Amino acid sequence: MIVNEKVAIDHGLKKDEYKKICELLKRIPNLTELAIFSAMWNEHCSYKSSRKHLKNLHTKGKKVIQGPGENAGVIDIGDDDAIVFKIESHNHPSFIEPYQGAATGVGGIMRDVFTMGARPIANLNSIHFGSPQHKKTRNLLRGVVKGIGGYGNCIGVPTIAGQTNFDESYNGNILVNAMTLGLVNKKKIFYSKAAGINKPVIYVGSKTGRDGIHGASMASAVFDDKIEEKKPTVQVGDPFTEKLLLEACLELMGDDSIISIQDMGAAGLTSSSVEMASKGKLGIELNLNKVPCREDKMTPYEIMLSESQERMLIVLENGKEEKAKKIFDKWDLDFAVIGKTTETKKIELFFDNKKVADIPIDLLAERAPVYDRKWKKIKLPQSIKFKKQDFKSLKIEGCLIKLLSHPNICDKQWIWDQYDHTVMGDTIQKPGGDSGVVRIHGTTKAVAASVDSSALYCFAHPLSGGKQIVCESWRNLISVGAEPIAITNCLNFGNPEKEKNMGEFVECVQGITEASKYLDFPVVSGNVSFYNETKDRGIKPTPSIGGVGLIKNYENMVSMDLKNNGNIILVIGKTIGHLEQSIFAREILSEKKGPPPEINLFNEKNNGLSILKLINEKLVVSCHDISLGGILVAISKMCIKSKKGIKLNSLKGLINKFEYFFGEDQARYLIEIRKDNLTKVDKILKDNSIHYDELGYVIDKNIEFSDEIKLSVDDLEKTYKNWLRKYMVN
């Protein structure tokens, strides 16, 4: 094929980008070289629209060992233990082929983690689907859940937490964000930076096939009516092979054989080889005839772009080849010496004794395009003043029942029942709580993790929404007794070439940066997913935040289920009654306008650290943060979880009761304490100038409020648990 402008455009390159490639090379690239440029210069690999803004993220911290720029971030949890973690998107593939798209998303993120020498210990996910009424939603949900479970369950890593949301903006672009945590000795961390000249470059794992070709480019494109034609770009996963690859890599990592190691993820052999060489300021030479292939007559173009799964690229020390080969032979995996590092600072490819590509590495990495795209600032919406007549016909109990059965609040057990959350035997808080928690085997320590997003807040005001979702992650970790340490982010947005979309991204990043810096909650890894758009309609801005925290003694962990009758329930934090952008305003009052709730970072930090102090002093027996749906939804979940009830106090100076019970003011928690600890708790809270309300006390089986409300917890449980199960069997 003769390479020209049209061919370049067909590969996802812009006219000016193709022109620049020709200028940099001082010639027209051949087809293989053009494919390499198209892979490395696409949005998914180059971050060309986001790089300028990502530099502003807060990434440093006392416990940060490795921040952004590696396969995953690394944090120190003491005693030479470190946690490696990252979240990443697999959105487009999951919409095209939900089972394999979701499965390979899980496989890919786990490889990012064990590539660094860590054994995966927990998986999480954040998945977003279109309206439940949309014709594709049910099947997409079913396929994605089966894919996540099918891969994670087979490889033997527990799925400990997650999030599932529905919104019509995802009708044409679902989101599948997968997160993995791994445990590693901090003295045995492996990196992707190549080093040394004439070092053998090794291919290990599965054979290369034609699946996934142009997968990275597809992830950087908008969808149209021809989406079904893109199925061949979706990778096919094999969790059993991944398990073998995991064990073989960890075994090889037991000595000093490996110089660098890189997963073959997006853009496959192209990105892995270029990234290793680029980080090491070296060249790399590959003989593509030596790449193990499972299909006949594969071309250099296909070999370099294939995204076949369960593959790694390794730079070894000289003389270690035979030892390494024995390990991979034992695990029945392919092992091939396919090239060497060079001093040329080029990627040079050979096939059938001919040089088929010759490109300076810096043209693919450092000199890849970086765009300063125009963006539109989003103003804070004007406040909505609700009137008494807006609530006149409403009853508290009716509103609560409707909200508990809402798709974004209802119980998601149908989903996590399909995930193995107890394998490995260290899960001590399973899905359904504020955070999942796993023990660090053989120690008193435990690691908590959660994943959250808030597209509605971000859509209303991206700056506020960005701050809020970091704070939500912070609260979810605090609520189980974990000290928040760091976050990973997956930034899901529409077409960045549109000023509004780019503005949403820029201001969400600004909000994330501001909150993470104030809370000392740095970003250590992440991913950007643009072009989540179909037929000119993009998704709501959806940054997903994965938070990780440490519980030094897991006996101090708390859960959200109520414990004993007579215990007092406190609302920590001031309740103003902010209804705008709340699920109550949208679903009960049919009001979608107004600003999201105010984010007071001082209150978030002060309230959170004070709750943590109370937990560590064993003054709290249960805890739950107040978020979607407000106080009454939060306490209902605590009651349902424990099959206990609450007698609500008649609160003095109560604002409109609907605003009080359903407002989504931030920086708030519900805590359960013993009566005899109230004086101690009161002193700590007052010493820190923290407002609290005494909401009520624990009773059996009912939620009671004076003579107005008496709701059976059993009935609420049926409402809460039935919607998703009924939806999925229809």
Side-chain angles (χ1 to χ4, degrees):
M1 181 182 290
I2 298 173
V3 172
N4 53 34
E5 188 178 273
K6 183 181 181 304
V7 174
I9 292 170
D10 289 342
H11 279 72
L13 293 161
K14 305 291 186 186
K15 289 181 182 180
D16 59 334
E17 290 175 341
Y18 174 65
K19 184 179 178 182
K20 184 177 179 181
I21 290 168
C22 295
E23 289 174 353
L24 291 170
L25 286 176
K26 298 179 180 178
R27 58 181 174 84
I28 295 174
N30 63 39
L31 188 61
T32 299
E33 291 172 329
L34 182 74
I36 292 170
F37 271 104
S38 74
M40 295 306 300
W41 281 23
N42 71 57
E43 197 74 58
H44 191 77
C45 293
S46 73
Y47 290 77
K48 59 190 178 186
S49 297
S50 59
R51 203 184 311 175
K52 176 180 185 294
H53 304 283
L54 296 177
K55 290 178 179 178
N56 298 323
L57 288 170
H58 174 60
T59 61
K60 307 290 185 184
K62 291 180 181 178
K63 295 183 179 181
V64 176
I65 296 173
Q66 175 65 54
E70 266 294 338
N71 286 297
V74 189
I75 56 173
D76 191 339
I77 61 167
D79 310 308
D80 286 335
D81 292 326
I83 295 294
V84 179
F85 68 103
K86 186 183 181 183
I87 188 171
E88 195 161 74
S89 64
H90 227 223
N91 302 335
H92 284 43
S94 299
F95 186 68
I96 297 168
E97 214 300 303
Y99 182 92
Q100 290 295 350
T104 52
V106 174
I109 196 64
M110 280 197 283
R111 288 195 301 279
D112 280 341
V113 167
F114 74 73
T115 296
M116 299 193 70
R119 180 173 290 280
I121 59 172
N123 288 331
L124 302 89
N125 55 75
S126 177
I127 53 179
H128 299 254
F129 299 91
S131 166
Q133 289 74 43
H134 191 268
K135 62 182 181 181
K136 288 188 175 182
T137 297
R138 186 180 288 104
N139 286 335
L140 286 169
L141 174 59
R142 185 176 287 112
V144 165
V145 171
K146 283 185 177 180
I148 292 171
Y151 206 101
N153 297 353
C154 289
I155 203 169
V157 177
T159 299
I160 64 168
Q163 173 198 35
T164 305
N165 277 331
F166 299 86
D167 185 272
E168 62 179 4
S169 75
Y170 309 114
N171 284 348
N173 285 90
I174 66 171
L175 303 182
V176 176
N177 297 174
M179 178 177 170
T180 294
L181 282 68
L183 178 66
V184 68
N185 185 305
K186 68 180 183 181
K187 297 176 182 177
K188 296 259 184 154
I189 300 168
F190 288 81
Y191 298 96
S192 58
K193 179 181 176 181
I197 306 299
N198 289 321
K199 302 294 183 180
V201 176
I202 314 297
Y203 173 116
V204 298
S206 289
K207 287 181 168 60
T208 295
R210 291 187 170 95
D211 54 313
I213 293 174
H214 293 300
S217 299
M218 178 269 296
S220 302
V222 296
F223 286 158
D224 55 29
D225 290 329
K226 298 180 179 178
I227 186 173
E228 293 296 320
E229 297 176 6
K230 298 183 184 290
K231 279 192 176 182
T233 66
V234 179
Q235 310 91 333
V236 178
D238 180 355
F240 299 105
T241 299
E242 177 126 333
K243 175 63 173 174
L244 300 177
L245 183 62
L246 162 65
E247 298 301 338
C249 287
L250 292 181
E251 184 175 340
L252 182 60
M253 289 167 171
D255 64 18
D256 57 355
S257 298
I258 296 176
I259 296 173
S260 64
I261 181 168
Q262 178 71 42
D263 160 45
M264 293 191 212
L269 187 54
T270 290
S271 62
S272 58
S273 57
V274 170
E275 287 173 14
M276 291 174 83
S278 175
K279 290 175 181 177
K281 306 295 181 185
L282 299 172
I284 191 165
E285 180 183 300
L286 302 177
N287 183 343
L288 300 185
N289 290 102
K290 295 184 177 182
V291 174
C293 294
R294 65 170 180 261
E295 299 183 52
D296 293 335
K297 298 181 179 180
M298 288 191 68
T299 65
Y301 177 101
E302 293 170 326
I303 293 168
M304 292 303 293
L305 288 192
S306 169
E307 293 184 10
S308 295
Q309 299 291 285
E310 296 84 42
R311 304 179 299 158
M312 294 281 192
L313 200 63
I314 302 173
V315 178
L316 282 181
E317 291 285 2
N318 294 109
K320 300 289 185 177
E321 296 93 329
E322 280 306 310
K323 181 180 180 179
K325 187 175 185 305
K326 285 181 180 179
I327 291 173
F328 284 89
D329 284 348
K330 181 182 77 171
W331 291 100
D332 198 25
L333 294 165
D334 279 288
F335 178 100
V337 181
I338 66 168
K340 63 182 180 180
T341 59
T342 68
E343 59 187 6
T344 64
K345 297 185 179 180
K346 294 180 177 183
I347 180 169
E348 298 172 284
L349 306 179
F350 293 85
F351 188 74
D352 290 348
N353 296 315
K354 296 178 181 177
K355 183 181 284 191
V356 294
D358 186 347
I359 306 172
I361 291 288
D362 68 335
L363 304 190
L364 300 168
E366 293 93 338
R367 297 175 71 181
V370 177
Y371 294 129
D372 185 6
R373 296 199 184 275
K374 292 181 180 179
W375 59 278
K376 183 178 179 181
K377 189 175 181 64
I378 288 84
K379 294 180 180 178
L380 186 69
Q382 289 187 337
S383 293
I384 304 290
K385 291 187 177 180
F386 296 101
K387 301 173 182 177
K388 285 186 179 180
Q389 54 262 40
D390 295 329
F391 307 97
K392 191 174 180 180
S393 63
L394 300 179
K395 292 186 177 180
I396 291 285
E397 52 266 52
C399 295
L400 177 60
I401 289 169
K402 186 173 182 179
L403 292 182
L404 285 175
S405 62
H406 189 276
N408 290 341
I409 289 180
C410 74
D411 183 64
K412 304 301 191 301
Q413 190 171 345
W414 180 89
I415 293 173
W416 53 261
D417 269 352
Q418 298 181 59
Y419 306 150
D420 191 337
H421 43 267
T422 60
V423 65
M424 300 177 77
D426 286 317
T427 304
I428 56 175
Q429 191 154 168
K430 64 185 183 182
D434 288 297
S435 296
V437 184
V438 290
R439 297 178 297 191
I440 302 301
H441 205 73
T443 76
T444 63
K445 297 181 295 191
V447 172
S450 71
V451 61
D452 303 280
S453 67
S454 185
L456 291 177
Y457 289 175
C458 291
F459 184 66
H461 190 235
L463 183 63
S464 300
K467 287 191 281 188
Q468 189 275 337
I469 199 58
V470 174
C471 295
E472 174 74 8
S473 180
W474 166 272
R475 293 196 298 272
N476 280 335
L477 297 173
I478 294 282
S479 295
V480 299
E483 174 197 355
I485 296 178
I487 59 178
T488 180
N489 58 35
C490 191
L491 307 175
N492 307 279
F493 291 82
N495 185 345
E497 297 166 47
K498 296 179 178 180
E499 290 185 24
K500 184 177 182 295
N501 291 348
M502 194 65 202
E504 291 171 341
F505 173 81
V506 171
E507 293 197 283
C508 275
V509 170
Q510 289 176 357
I512 291 168
T513 301
E514 186 177 334
S516 64
K517 190 172 185 178
Y518 192 93
L519 298 174
D520 193 20
F521 201 26
V523 179
V524 298
S525 59
N527 165 241
V528 177
S529 176
F530 278 134
Y531 297 98
N532 292 288
E533 187 168 304
T534 297
K535 295 182 181 178
D536 208 39
R537 184 176 180 187
I539 63 166
K540 287 185 173 72
T542 312
S544 295
I545 299 292
V548 178
L550 176 67
I551 304 173
K552 290 182 180 179
N553 186 339
Y554 57 75
E555 290 185 357
N556 292 340
M557 181 191 76
V558 296
S559 58
M560 63 185 283
D561 51 302
L562 302 172
K563 301 303 188 296
N564 295 304
N565 288 6
N567 283 350
I568 298 170
I569 307 297
L570 303 181
V571 179
I572 307 300
K574 183 71 173 175
T575 297
I576 305 297
H578 188 100
L579 285 182
E580 295 145 297
Q581 294 301 326
S582 70
I583 194 166
F584 177 90
R586 300 178 74 87
E587 300 301 324
I588 307 297
L589 302 177
S590 300
E591 179 58 75
K592 299 180 180 181
K593 296 179 181 178
E598 179 187 357
I599 308 298
N600 185 311
L601 293 174
F602 174 83
N603 289 344
E604 290 285 1
K605 190 170 188 176
N606 188 39
N607 294 5
L609 294 180
S610 298
I611 292 288
L612 197 57
K613 179 179 175 65
L614 293 173
I615 291 172
N616 288 331
E617 293 188 12
K618 300 185 183 298
L619 296 172
V620 175
V621 296
S622 71
C623 182
H624 183 35
D625 86 304
I626 301 170
S627 54
L628 192 67
I631 289 173
L632 201 52
V633 167
I635 193 63
S636 296
K637 288 183 178 181
M638 296 175 81
C639 292
I640 292 167
K641 192 84 169 174
S642 57
K643 299 187 185 298
K644 291 280 189 182
I646 182 173
K647 178 72 174 180
L648 296 164
N649 293 333
S650 294
L651 297 168
K652 297 177 181 179
L654 185 68
I655 57 176
N656 177 307
K657 60 186 179 182
F658 294 95
E659 292 175 330
Y660 184 84
F661 283 129
F662 299 112
E664 294 180 9
D665 307 294
Q666 301 292 291
R668 297 183 300 159
Y669 303 78
L670 290 172
I671 62 170
E672 176 190 3
I673 64 171
R674 297 201 314 268
K675 274 186 180 181
D676 57 359
N677 283 329
L678 180 58
T679 301
K680 293 179 183 177
V681 172
D682 177 80
K683 185 178 185 312
I684 291 172
L685 294 174
K686 284 183 176 175
D687 285 348
N688 290 281
S689 302
I690 294 173
H691 176 91
Y692 73 90
D693 298 326
E694 194 170 326
L695 185 66
Y697 56 91
V698 180
I699 61 173
D700 281 325
K701 295 186 177 181
N702 296 311
I703 296 177
E704 300 179 11
F705 183 41
S706 61
D707 295 326
E708 299 177 45
I709 301 173
K710 187 174 182 179
L711 294 169
S712 162
V713 171
D714 287 343
D715 291 343
L716 291 177
E717 182 178 17
K718 291 176 184 176
T719 297
Y720 179 61
K721 290 191 172 184
N722 282 350
W723 183 86
L724 185 58
R725 293 185 184 278
K726 285 183 177 179
Y727 177 74
M728 294 309 300
V729 298
N730 288 338

